Amino acid sequence: MGPKNGNASNSNIDYEDSDDHDISDNIDLNNVKLNTLSASEQEKEDERMWQGVQAFFCNRYTEAQEIFAEKADIDPLYALGQGCISFLKAVTTFNEQDISIAIKQLVSAESLASAQIGAFKSQSSIGSSFGKFISNLNYFGNSNKNQQFMSNGQLRSTVIKAESLLLIALIQLLQESIISYVKAGLNLRRGYKNYEIVWNEINKPGFNVSVDYHTKGGVEFGYGTCNLVLSFMPGKIIKIISAIGYRGNKELGIELLNASLKGRGIRSPLASLLFVTSYTMLTSFSPSTLGPDNIPKAEEYIQDALKQFPGSDFFTFFAGRNLRLKRDLDASTEAFISVNHNLKEGFGVELRRLCDYELGMNYAMTLQWGKAAQCFDTLATENYWSPAFFRYFQAACLEMQGKKKEAIALYIEVPGLSVRKFGGRTILVEQYITRKVKNYMAKNFENTLLPGLEILLIWNSFACMKKEDLIRCLDIVNSKLDTLNNSNIIDSQCMLLLIKSSILNQLHRFQETNQCLRWILDHNGDIVDDKFIEPFAFWEMGVAAFLNENLEKAKLVWEETANFNGYEFEFRLAMRLHLSLMKLNDMLPDKKKKSRTFI
């Protein structure tokens, strides 16, 4: 779709072809003109775009969309603005149509940027013979005086091209399928290379081009994001997206994103959002190991963003997520409810559904199973993300209330609702719930155990719960263990002991934790259905060691856990392991870091 990519020299740059995607019907690439604006002229021209960004993060979603639409067919930055809104909607809903629209709009932005780059290349080829003549004249003199650098317009277009590819890759990374990881790897590589072109250009000796601050913030945001995202990727995913060929630099990523944030340009709110997302969402994979450092950092970025955008739905939402990590579930619930009250139409409807999901999780973590069931019923009825999962979770909540008959009626619906696919395969969580329901059916819904607590285990939610609720959960598990019948007894006992071990870890009763885990590992060869129990048991053994300040043991156990393959929620656990081992490597003395690493 665009010219070929090569060295980061001057205007004689080759760019890789993009994937075969449709572009917007409103865009005529033949009419794309050369951008010859100076940095100051470009900043003035982009003031309207900045107004759109501010409107969006101040909850005026319709106004922002209208502003971006004004020039989305001729200006790649406006097209990127449109694509960013669609990107945020796609990663909020995970609806296939929303994902398709987001990718199409981002490809349109990338195509416009590529066309502008192509216009510069055409212009440079006209003067190439004259350029060679000048170079020959300078052979015996100082050629650096006449060295030509990329113009501000070229730099701007290249950054937009890279950012479009980066956002497409992020959507694909979140889809958790091998095919999507491969596609994400290709787009990350192409985006990274384009950022690298700009990065190398502006860091050349003698670079004297004035760069508009939005573009400067753009390369800081994008190059920083690539480095940060790649540094967080587990080895198992990196192997799949092997087209990248390198790991990210976490420290450089943080430094550049902070520079973009402080520049207060168009990408500044996105840099804030990325920091907040990283420190809350990634911490939720392992609050026990990451929470003490990341929760205060997230709070700092959230408060800074709310000063700039008071009452912002997005940053209030993440405040709710961070409060959950602090185990302040009442305040977290209040934050989600306050956002919900503001969201009635347009983009806000999608954010409201996301808040409904978070409210359902909070109610489940506080054992308010009736309220949780209502949230998941709403989400299933509104066809949000995975109706099958929400119907299953609703049934699990009813069962936790003792409403077995009502729960069974909902369980039976689940297989028919499991239709979400990526890369031609049913999404992983729907594979899990469909298997569970079929097993329940085969045994006449006996020994369904404690499905609500099982989901909280898989989502690592016990680490966010209050002590009194953990003790209530422990009592529930012990009562269930006392009443097990002989149907598939090993699977049932192992699952309950795994849940119990996770609860005991959060109560810091490590000796009891290890007793549960030893029983599981002594009987793991007899587990028939829930093959994820063994690697999750190893994970909990590492958590016990970490919380008991035996860091060397935690490292050895988690490295061993990384060798397991082919079980449900493998990538979810791989992310926990990778992030926790990164944390351990920062904590352990250098001599301890030289042991076998997880990559």
Side-chain angles (χ1 to χ4, degrees), residues 13 17 34 103 137 140 210 213 260 265 280 291 329 374 416 451 473 536 549 565:
I13 298 171
D17 291 329
L34 200 67
I103 290 177
L137 287 179
F140 296 104
S210 180
Y213 72 91
S260 180
T280 56
L329 290 168
Q374 290 174 6
C473 288
F536 273 62
E549 299 184 2
N565 289 290

Side-chain angles (χ1 to χ4, degrees), residues 322-336:
N322 206 47
L323 286 163
R324 175 191 292 165
L325 294 169
K326 294 170 70 173
R327 300 183 191 258
D328 192 347
L329 290 168
D330 293 337
S332 173
T333 296
E334 287 178 12
F336 294 134

Side-chain angles (χ1 to χ4, degrees), residues 217-230:
V219 70
E220 290 167 341
F221 168 76
Y223 204 46
T225 299
C226 285
N227 274 284
L228 195 62
V229 169
L230 286 170

Side-chain angles (χ1 to χ4, degrees), residues 192-226:
Y192 192 98
K193 278 192 169 186
N194 280 275
Y195 281 125
E196 202 167 39
I197 287 169
V198 178
W199 182 256
N200 290 341
E201 182 76 3
I202 64 178
N203 285 288
K204 278 182 181 178
F207 181 76
N208 57 5
V209 176
S210 180
V211 181
D212 73 88
Y213 72 91
H214 294 308
T215 294
K216 183 175 181 294
V219 70
E220 290 167 341
F221 168 76
Y223 204 46
T225 299
C226 285

Side-chain angles (χ1 to χ4, degrees), residues 471 474 503-514:
I471 292 173
L474 190 60
I503 296 168
L504 288 167
N505 263 339
Q506 297 308 315
L507 292 171
H508 288 211
R509 291 160 59 172
F510 305 123
Q511 186 175 354
E512 294 172 75
T513 295
N514 288 323

